[in-house]
């Protein structure tokens, strides 16, 4: 059974940092695309960052320069380091995985809440 388990969310003041983790099981982690979406109240779900098995990375414009995605294939874990957090970063953050030949998300995590106070 495939499972993605997020951790690391919480409450932080503006300008602070958090690191989210997502541990995957039930897939051949090393070949899958991994990434993070987020959904804020009143907004559509948006892609924050993704990383392919070979290490190529894409970021949302809002994340560039502040967030860093990385993966540790030995630990089957993807990370999202978030620096210089802003109140508009407040959202539920969802880990996802996608086979590189698929055009659709294959699996989602349960989500972890990130709240940034002003």
């Amino acid at each position: 059974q495939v499972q993605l388990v997020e951790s690391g969310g919480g409450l932080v003041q503006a300008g602070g940092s958090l690191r989210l983790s997502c541990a995957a099981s039930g897939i051949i982690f090393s070949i899958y695309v991994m990434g993070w979406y987020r959904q804020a109240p009143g907004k559509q779900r948006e892609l924050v960052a993704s990383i392919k098995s070979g290490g190529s990375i894409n970021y949302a414009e809002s994340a560039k320069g502040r967030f860093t995605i990385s993966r540790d294939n030995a630990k089957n874990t993807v990370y999202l380091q978030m620096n210089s957090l802003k109140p508009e970063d407040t959202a539920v953050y969802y880990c996802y995985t996608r086979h590189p030949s698929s055009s659709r998300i294959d699996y989602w995590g349960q989500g972890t809440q990130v709240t940034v106070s002003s």
Side-chain angles (χ1 to χ4, degrees):
Q1 182 176 336
V2 176
Q3 189 172 28
L4 304 177
V5 180
E6 303 102 328
S7 61
L11 175 64
V12 65
Q13 67 178 322
S17 298
L18 287 172
R19 188 175 77 156
L20 307 183
S21 299
C22 174
S25 61
I27 61 170
I28 305 174
F29 182 87
S30 61
I31 69 171
Y32 273 69
V33 177
M34 302 294 299
W36 297 89
Y37 275 79
R38 68 184 181 187
Q39 188 164 25
K43 294 186 177 181
Q44 297 293 316
R45 183 174 294 188
E46 63 175 344
L47 179 65
V48 179
S50 64
I51 181 167
K52 294 182 178 180
S53 61
S56 62
I57 293 168
N58 290 110
Y59 292 105
E61 288 298 319
S62 60
K64 289 180 179 178
R66 299 189 299 125
F67 294 2
T68 303
I69 189 170
S70 61
R71 64 191 294 160
D72 186 339
N73 289 344
K75 296 182 178 179
N76 287 3
T77 301
V78 63
Y79 305 94
L80 185 67
Q81 178 69 44
M82 303 186 294
N83 299 326
S84 301
L85 283 162
K86 305 173 181 179
E88 50 262 46
D89 295 317
T90 295
V92 178
Y93 284 71
Y94 297 92
C95 177
Y96 77 88
T97 187
R98 177 179 63 82
H99 190 275
S101 66
S102 176
S103 62
R104 307 270 277 179
I105 302 300
D106 291 321
Y107 302 102
W108 293 94
Q110 294 294 317
T112 185
Q113 176 71 47
V114 171
T115 302
V116 184
S117 62
S118 59

